[in-house]
Amino acid sequence: MKKGRILTGLLAAASVFALAFTTPQPTKAASNPSSVSAIKKRGTIKVAVFGDLPPYGWVNKDGKRTGYDIALAKQIGKDLNTKVKFVQVNADSRVDALKSNKVDIVLANFTVTPERKQVVAFAKPYMKVSVGVVSPKKKVITKVSQLNGKNLIVTKGTTAESYFTQKQPKVQLQKYDSKTQQFNALKNGRAVALADDNSYLYAWVKNHPNYKVGIKHLGPNQYIAPGIKKGNTSLLNWTNKEINKLNKNGFFKTDYNQNLKPYFGSDVSAKDIIITK
Amino acid sequence: MAHSGINILFEGRNLTRLLGGLWISAKIAFIAIVLGILLGIILGMLRTLKNPLLRVILRLYLEFFRIVPTVVLLFLFYYILPQNFHINLNAEVVATLVFTLWVAAEMSDIVRSGLISVPRHQVDAGKAIGLTTPQLYRYVLLPQSIQLMIPATINLTTRVIKTTSLLLLISVMDVINVGQQIIEANNQHYQNGAFWIYGFIFILYFILCYPLSVWARYIERKEKLRNNG
């Protein structure tokens, strides 16, 4: 009896693994459900967006989706002459949503990285971010060399932390667990400055006028671009053309002024964020 | 700035949105529980039969749904299976399906253990008066074991309701998902918005689950009285 039970257990485990590791079959090009013609035929484009990241993709108190990414999604819908269906995703489900055809395109603050490029096709970027450094206006830090041998606040796991650990070993890092903690530490004067994604800092100095983002860009720029399923050249080409067109007619500038500017301090201008070329 | 954070609940349509999210969670849980229990009773009865092949298959089914975490099941059904088999179901359907299969699996074990705890002589007596197998289940086994199954079933029900909080991972706009939208949308004005929103969600879940656990306790006490008194 006992042997039988062990056997059943083993069989159960085996079936679990068999199911979990079923090899994916390659999708047929002919049946691409996210090609431009398929989207137009359907009459709706499915867009993956964030629901909790103001001012990029969020939901206002009336329950309406709004933000910089959302405005772009609506414009794309308009130019394709289709309705837009928003699918709210989390950061870690953006790739899977594309792969499983839950969405046609991802417009969710999707940063282009070499790892992601292996599994997702990125269209032309529409926004740039990089590491910035904020410090009190009275003793503003404008060059990295001013930080040598001094304490700098970062949050664990951010790009700012990895940038300073790898590239600026002379700077002493004070590491915190959350945004709230790191900003409190800066206010209490525990270090001379704080480094984080510049877009967060712009938003923070807006409410804290005694501080200034003295260094706006550090290290390599990172780009935010629409993500499209690998192999979907039809939609990729269309999106690239669309971004070019929107760049020319100043759409992103308007989008910046409407959605981002109210959140950022006055020392930021559109050219720090949007890409115009 | 003397406003209390509780106002976050009453701004705009926030309250309606939260209740709307709760409705979706409750709807999925309710449909899954009803369908799952019905399916589970049938599977549980089949598991008490002597057919070895059937027993192995049902046992595998149970173990699969019991061992694999619900999050993994949701991901598997929502993201992974469509990639392989080209079936695209919407998130709420996937959620209901996964929860139904999960409830059915757990329920089949509850039913099975309830049925086999009925004393053997009851079955023999039933057979002696010429009852067929379906009649045996209908008049002898089920009536005597149902009391034993109810507390475990209610416990399962509350677990299902609580687990709906995982649904935000597959893009279902449940109460937690809506709550997070509201918290993040307001973190400039309401620094401690998270406290009020999650506090409110806690109360909502409590309202759904507490009556069930009171009911389970009541039935258990009644059972004890009947057995001892």
Side-chain angles (χ1 to χ4, degrees):
Chain A
M1 196 58 217
K2 197 160 186 201
K3 213 181 255 171
R5 213 174 286 161
I6 292 170
L7 191 70
T8 344
L10 278 176
L11 268 170
S15 70
V16 169
F17 279 101
L19 248 168
F21 290 105
T22 327
T23 46
Q25 295 157 355
T27 37
K28 286 177 217 120
S31 64
N32 178 3
S34 295
S35 67
V36 175
S37 55
I39 292 167
K40 280 187 173 159
K41 204 173 152 200
R42 200 193 310 141
T44 341
I45 181 165
K46 292 176 285 180
V47 187
V49 293
F50 280 145
D52 58 358
L53 188 71
Y56 304 103
W58 57 292
V59 180
N60 68 14
K61 62 182 180 188
D62 300 319
K64 294 231 165 59
R65 293 195 181 276
T66 178
Y68 186 76
D69 289 341
I70 310 290
L72 176 59
K74 285 183 177 159
Q75 186 62 39
I76 285 177
K78 212 186 211 173
D79 292 337
L80 269 174
N81 205 11
T82 58
K83 283 189 211 138
V84 180
K85 190 186 167 219
F86 292 110
V87 178
Q88 185 172 321
V89 293
N90 290 64
D92 47 6
S93 57
R94 289 177 293 193
V95 174
D96 283 320
L98 273 178
K99 277 179 151 181
S100 57
N101 297 321
K102 296 291 173 200
V103 298
D104 304 313
I105 187 168
V106 174
L107 297 173
N109 210 272
F110 212 5
T111 313
V112 183
T113 64
E115 295 81 21
R116 286 183 186 149
K117 269 189 179 164
Q118 314 248 324
V119 287
V120 171
F122 283 103
K124 286 196 70 172
Y126 59 92
M127 213 179 101
K128 60 185 175 193
V129 288
S130 67
V131 175
V133 176
V134 66
S135 44
K137 263 186 183 160
K138 275 180 267 168
K139 282 184 177 175
V140 70
I141 303 281
T142 50
K143 286 197 296 285
V144 189
S145 55
Q146 287 172 276
L147 289 169
N148 285 348
K150 303 241 174 69
N151 277 327
L152 175 74
I153 298 166
V154 291
T155 294
K156 290 175 195 162
T158 55
T159 39
E161 185 204 358
S162 58
Y163 172 76
F164 276 97
T165 314
Q166 286 164 17
K167 300 284 162 68
Q168 308 287 348
K170 283 186 196 152
V171 180
Q172 289 167 13
L173 296 185
Q174 255 180 33
K175 301 182 184 183
Y176 291 89
D177 286 309
S178 73
K179 302 270 179 227
T180 321
Q181 280 178 13
Q182 69 165 7
F183 286 126
N184 275 331
L186 181 68
K187 281 195 255 179
N188 296 340
R190 290 181 187 269
V192 294
L194 177 152
D196 203 339
D197 275 8
N198 56 6
S199 57
Y200 284 119
L201 300 182
Y202 296 152
W204 190 77
V205 292
K206 165 97 176 165
N207 295 324
H208 300 83
N210 293 333
Y211 295 84
K212 187 176 160 69
V213 185
I215 306 176
K216 288 182 181 174
H217 303 285
L218 259 186
N221 256 329
Q222 292 198 302
Y223 294 98
I224 309 284
I228 290 163
K229 191 177 180 179
K230 208 144 204 177
N232 186 0
T233 39
S234 149
L235 186 60
L236 183 66
N237 292 338
W238 186 90
T239 311
N240 280 335
K241 271 187 215 143
E242 173 77 358
I243 302 249
N244 280 340
K245 192 186 98 187
L246 295 179
N247 262 331
K248 272 195 202 113
N249 69 16
F251 167 81
F252 289 109
K253 182 117 200 218
T254 323
D255 194 359
Y256 172 86
N257 285 335
Q258 270 171 7
N259 288 303
L260 301 186
K261 204 177 174 187
Y263 281 83
F264 292 164
S266 54
D267 52 345
V268 189
S269 64
K271 69 177 192 314
D272 295 321
I273 300 284
I274 65 172
I275 300 165
T276 43
K277 53 168 188 233
Chain B
M1 294 282 266
H3 64 68
S4 147
I6 197 168
N7 287 333
I8 192 175
L9 292 172
F10 305 109
E11 281 224 359
R13 294 185 54 245
N14 286 358
L15 197 62
T16 339
R17 284 167 60 204
L18 279 171
L19 292 175
L22 184 74
W23 163 243
I24 288 178
S25 312
K27 187 178 69 181
I28 291 172
F30 181 77
I31 297 175
I33 288 163
V34 171
L35 295 179
I37 286 179
L38 291 177
L39 189 61
I41 290 174
I42 297 168
L43 294 180
M45 280 166 29
L46 291 177
R47 285 188 60 203
T48 57
L49 299 177
K50 293 281 176 285
N51 185 333
L53 180 69
L54 196 63
R55 286 184 113 169
V56 169
I57 293 171
L58 291 176
R59 183 67 196 276
L60 286 179
Y61 170 73
L62 167 70
E63 294 299 339
F64 179 75
F65 278 91
R66 196 156 53 184
I67 294 170
V68 181
T70 321
V71 192
V72 178
L73 287 173
L74 289 171
F75 257 75
L76 192 69
F77 277 73
Y78 188 70
Y79 289 120
I80 313 297
L81 290 187
Q83 288 175 34
N84 296 326
F85 300 107
H86 301 285
I87 346 161
N88 240 328
L89 299 172
N90 89 33
E92 285 180 33
V93 176
V94 171
T96 315
L97 182 70
V98 169
F99 276 39
T100 303
L101 292 175
W102 170 45
V103 173
E106 299 260 5
M107 191 66 198
S108 78
D109 212 39
I110 295 172
V111 171
R112 186 194 58 91
S113 63
L115 288 175
I116 60 170
S117 67
V118 175
R120 181 74 207 166
H121 62 79
Q122 292 279 335
V123 179
D124 292 339
K127 278 182 182 157
I129 59 168
L131 294 180
T132 61
T133 311
Q135 283 174 331
L136 208 56
Y137 278 101
R138 167 71 184 81
Y139 296 105
V140 180
L141 289 170
L142 281 177
Q144 294 192 58
S145 53
I146 231 151
Q147 285 289 332
L148 299 170
M149 299 174 197
I150 285 177
T153 311
I154 296 169
N155 182 26
L156 177 64
T157 308
T158 50
R159 269 170 61 209
V160 171
I161 293 174
K162 280 187 292 187
T163 313
T164 55
S165 56
L166 295 175
L167 293 181
L168 75 111
L169 291 168
I170 60 162
S171 304
V172 173
M173 300 308 298
D174 76 323
V175 66
I176 307 278
N177 217 348
V178 174
Q180 287 187 354
Q181 286 178 346
I182 296 175
I183 291 165
E184 294 304 326
N186 292 290
N187 66 4
Q188 302 269 350
H189 298 289
Y190 295 103
Q191 304 281 352
N192 56 357
F195 171 78
W196 289 102
I197 297 288
Y198 281 124
F200 185 64
I201 292 175
F202 162 78
I203 294 170
L204 292 178
Y205 270 107
F206 184 80
I207 292 170
L208 281 185
C209 292
Y210 188 67
L212 290 171
S213 75
V214 169
W215 187 36
R217 213 163 36 197
Y218 167 76
I219 286 172
E220 253 171 281
R221 202 179 301 142
K222 212 171 74 175
E223 188 66 13
K224 228 178 255 169
L225 277 180
R226 207 177 59 176
N227 290 344
N228 303 340

